[in-house]
Amino acid sequence: MALLNLRTALKHCGSTLAATGALFFSSPGMAQEALVLKDELALKVAFVYNFALFTEWPAEVASTLNLCILGQDSFGRVIDELQGKAVGGRSLSVQRKAVGESMKNCQITFISAAAITHLPRVLEDARSHPMLTIADSPGAARQGVALNLTLNRNKISFEANLLAASAGQVKLSSKLLRLATEVIQ
């Protein structure tokens, strides 16, 4: 069921972003730009949630999955909709972390583009306990992030890095990997 939701979201994303993009470029204005950005952010949040659903978590992970946003939070209140959402037998707790704060209590870490320069420290934390790393920065999957969101021709897709997921002590579902544009092994 969740995979169907992800496919529907992907399909909706392409047509919504293309339609709002056409609207944005045909009539300039801040309202259209805000609409495109809001749709993109909502879709990225849907991806993050589905990433959590299609990740196999070790048994020792507690009943709450802390989803930490590292650095500048571009999601705003949109990501707060995930607060308390069920992920298997667990629930999500959204937290915002400043660069330099400990990531030890984070099971899912979204590294903002502004914080990507701190990636080596985040990846070191990911090796010390189960952590799924997610970013939306060019080349982040090749730098060791497990899942990297990309935007190409108004369509959001993602790359997966199996070595990074393994280093973070999590396993990505084969159903999820089939949807990735690139799988690094």
Side-chain angles (χ1 to χ4, degrees):
M1 183 65 174
L3 181 60
L4 180 60
N5 291 341
L6 180 58
R7 283 192 177 144
T8 303
L10 284 169
K11 213 178 271 188
H12 175 70
C13 166
S15 52
T16 299
L17 285 177
T20 55
L23 177 64
F24 171 65
F25 289 116
S26 66
S27 57
M30 295 298 280
Q32 287 84 9
E33 185 176 333
L35 180 62
V36 171
L37 182 61
K38 184 179 178 187
D39 284 348
E40 180 183 333
L41 293 177
L43 197 56
K44 285 183 178 182
V45 167
F47 270 91
V48 169
Y49 178 66
N50 278 285
F51 291 161
L53 284 173
F54 287 97
T55 297
E56 188 177 312
W57 301 95
E60 72 264 14
V61 172
S63 61
T64 300
L65 294 172
N66 293 314
L67 165 57
C68 300
I69 311 301
L70 177 64
Q72 185 178 351
D73 177 9
S74 61
F75 293 113
R77 299 186 125 207
V78 178
I79 195 95
D80 292 333
E81 293 176 18
L82 296 183
Q83 188 71 31
K85 283 217 43 139
V87 175
R90 298 177 173 93
S91 64
L92 286 174
S93 173
V94 178
Q95 301 177 11
R96 287 156 177 91
K97 300 278 188 173
V99 171
E101 272 189 77
S102 173
M103 306 304 288
K104 299 283 185 201
N105 293 324
C106 302
Q107 289 76 40
I108 305 168
T109 300
F110 184 91
I111 304 118
S112 71
I116 203 72
T117 57
H118 300 275
L119 188 58
R121 187 186 65 80
V122 174
L123 296 178
E124 187 177 315
D125 281 352
R127 289 180 187 94
S128 67
H129 71 281
M131 183 191 295
L132 175 65
T133 52
I134 306 169
D136 65 350
S137 297
R142 295 225 170 258
Q143 295 175 45
V145 171
L147 295 165
N148 187 46
L149 294 164
T150 59
L151 181 62
N152 187 11
R153 297 182 188 192
N154 292 329
K155 291 190 179 182
I156 296 176
S157 56
F158 66 95
E159 306 156 335
N161 183 327
L162 294 178
L163 295 173
S166 180
Q169 304 170 43
V170 296
K171 184 177 178 188
L172 303 176
S173 162
S174 62
K175 292 177 183 176
L176 180 66
L177 294 174
R178 279 184 257 164
L179 297 174
T181 55
E182 180 180 6
V183 177
I184 300 164
Q185 299 190 31

